[in-house]
Amino acid sequence: MFKQIFALIPIIAAVLANEKTILLSNDDGWAALNIRAAYRELTNAGYNVILSAPARQRSGWSGKFQIPDSKTLKEAGEFNYPPKGSPSWGHESDNNKIWYFDGTPGAAVAFGLEYVIPNYFNDTKVDLVVNGPNEGTNLGNGMYTISGTIGATYNAVYRNYPGIAISGSNGNNSFFKDFENDENDTLLAANIYAKKVVQFVDQLFKGAKDDSILPITTGLNINFPSVGYDDESCKDPEWVFTKFSGKDSTTSDLKYNKESGLFESSSIGSEALYTCVFGNCSLEGESQLLADKNCKTSVSAFSVDYSASKDQEETIHGALNGLF
Ligand SMILES: *[C@@H]1O[C@H](CO)[C@@H](O)[C@H](O)[C@H]1NC(C)=O
Ligand SMILES: *[C@@H]1O[C@H](CO)[C@@H](O)[C@H](O)[C@H]1NC(C)=O
Ligand SMILES: *[C@@H]1O[C@H](CO)[C@@H](O)[C@H](O)[C@H]1NC(C)=O
Ligand SMILES: *[C@@H]1O[C@H](CO)[C@@H](O)[C@H](O)[C@H]1NC(C)=O
């Protein structure tokens, strides 16, 4: 009897040691369908997932760090979930692993790391921060600075955590409660993406050379193509390594409309967005890959060491030499 129990101890210890903790966030809010599907599938796959995401839709809030200035919500959460006047942060009544926070995406990540995990999960070590899948793509270096999904991700990378930003081509702002009976619908994009997220995360942990998973300063930006009901020819998109820069990379622009007397938003490409300086410049740009609509998912690596290259630095320093 004792022998059998002792024989189990190393197995139990190994299972516990292998359980990886993932902090999951996004910018569309904690009630978005995509993030709830990812929570479900990652949890079903055996990960210890703690969701900490904004109370409201925070698309386009980039890396801005904003925290609540009141203990109660001055505005309702997205889909009135939770309603105005509720606490500014809280969790699902039946699950203390699913949290909202009335802040920006970057702040919701910090809230998970600095408040939820120390206070509710005994300072469990977070192995990976996953953000998304976003409702809509986040492509190119122009979007890097605008996207709340990527903003949440580089906020995690700044704090030494490996971070991945994931975006889907399904742009609808969907409330998870409207799809509660669809968790087994294999053509629902949120479900396909969630399963692909598990496949990706599994390999990331399996392939990691050490505990750090991704090299310090780096993160990943992933964009899924249209799948399932949105493109029935695409149910299991292929992974492709890409880069941020390159053809079709754009950033925000404006145009003056003489008739309305107002400005309209538009987008613009430029040599600065097409030019590759760092990394493997033979890789295709992520914007181009997704524009080709070939059922492929882009995977681009980025670094938060924003310094110019050595050559660029030398050119600049040379020009300024007279001052030094
Ligand atoms: C919390 O973590 C510490 C250090 O790892 C451990 O000694 C302690 O038993 C844990 N407490 C609980 C309640 O899990
Ligand atoms: C978009 O989301 C809303 C809110 O959940 C939902 O009522 C609607 O059916 C969704 N539309 C599509 C096309 O998924
Ligand atoms: C989905 O499938 C699982 C496993 O078969 C089942 O437990 C669950 O009830 C199903 N969900 C729905 C909404 O039908
Ligand atoms: C650079 O990317 C190209 C295109 O994907 C690939 O064929 C090549 O092997 C890569 N080179 C290196 C050194 O990784």
Side-chain angles (χ1 to χ4, degrees):
M1 180 63 186
F2 277 123
K3 208 172 157 191
Q4 274 162 352
I5 290 173
F6 286 126
L8 280 175
I9 288 173
I11 298 170
I12 293 166
V15 168
L16 290 177
N18 275 337
E19 190 187 55
K20 300 290 185 192
T21 296
I22 294 173
L23 185 79
L24 183 62
S25 194
N26 74 352
D27 70 8
D28 299 311
W30 78 316
L33 172 65
N34 279 357
I35 192 172
R36 293 300 181 108
Y39 174 86
R40 182 189 68 232
E41 294 303 325
L42 286 166
T43 301
N44 288 347
Y47 294 104
N48 178 33
V49 187
I50 295 156
L51 188 161
S52 170
R56 286 179 284 122
Q57 176 56 259
R58 295 291 197 144
S59 279
W61 281 74
S62 63
K64 185 177 168 66
F65 202 91
Q66 188 188 66
I67 56 181
D69 60 4
S70 149
K71 284 185 184 167
T72 52
L73 291 178
K74 291 176 178 166
E75 262 181 73
E78 203 67 30
F79 309 110
N80 201 34
Y81 190 82
K84 185 177 167 178
S86 303
S88 292
W89 54 91
H91 59 76
E92 287 285 6
S93 52
D94 62 350
N95 190 345
N96 75 353
K97 289 185 163 183
I98 301 185
W99 288 76
Y100 69 88
F101 180 71
D102 189 25
T104 50
V109 167
F111 169 74
L113 295 170
E114 297 299 329
Y115 180 83
V116 176
I117 291 183
N119 287 302
Y120 290 80
F121 299 98
N122 194 24
D123 262 328
T124 302
K125 174 178 165 277
V126 170
D127 298 292
L128 179 65
V129 177
V130 175
N131 297 295
N134 186 59
E135 295 166 340
T137 55
N138 281 306
L139 295 160
N141 24 18
M143 202 47 81
Y144 179 86
T145 42
I146 294 170
S147 158
T149 309
I150 303 179
T153 306
Y154 54 68
N155 269 286
V157 176
Y158 289 153
R159 308 166 70 102
N160 304 333
Y161 290 93
I164 49 183
I166 305 180
S167 303
S169 290
N170 60 342
N172 190 54
N173 189 200
S174 303
F175 183 30
F176 79 102
K177 290 219 179 229
D178 291 340
F179 295 83
E180 269 177 338
N181 295 323
D182 303 316
E183 63 174 357
N184 298 323
D185 185 338
T186 55
L187 287 178
L188 191 68
N191 294 343
I192 296 177
Y193 295 154
K195 289 211 174 352
K196 296 301 285 183
V197 170
V198 172
Q199 185 189 41
F200 192 88
V201 167
D202 280 350
Q203 178 57 42
L204 204 54
F205 282 117
K206 205 173 100 191
K209 289 211 167 64
D210 54 41
D211 218 28
S212 61
I213 304 166
L214 294 173
I216 192 155
T217 79
T218 66
L220 296 172
N221 187 43
I222 297 175
N223 278 277
F224 289 121
S226 291
V227 296
Y229 294 119
D230 305 326
D231 177 358
E232 295 215 16
S233 69
C234 184
K235 291 172 190 140
D236 185 17
E238 185 189 330
W239 303 105
V240 179
F241 286 125
T242 48
K243 60 188 166 71
F244 274 76
S245 58
K247 190 170 159 271
D248 292 331
S249 183
T250 58
T251 193
S252 299
D253 198 18
L254 54 79
K255 288 208 173 5
Y256 183 66
N257 182 329
K258 273 190 200 153
E259 274 158 42
S260 68
L262 286 169
F263 292 93
E264 289 168 2
S265 302
S266 62
S267 65
I268 188 173
S270 70
E271 209 49 42
L273 297 172
Y274 305 152
T275 302
C276 174
V277 176
F278 298 101
N280 179 350
C281 291
S282 302
L283 293 175
E284 192 175 358
E286 56 188 14
S287 308
Q288 191 182 349
L289 185 86
L290 270 281
D292 287 347
K293 297 189 188 300
N294 283 332
C295 193
K296 288 178 177 166
T297 301
S298 62
V299 180
S300 303
F302 66 82
S303 163
V304 299
D305 177 358
Y306 300 119
S307 301
S309 74
K310 191 162 169 288
D311 281 358
Q312 291 172 327
E313 239 174 32
E314 276 170 14
T315 304
I316 295 164
H317 292 184
L320 291 172
N321 231 352
L323 285 177
F324 294 81

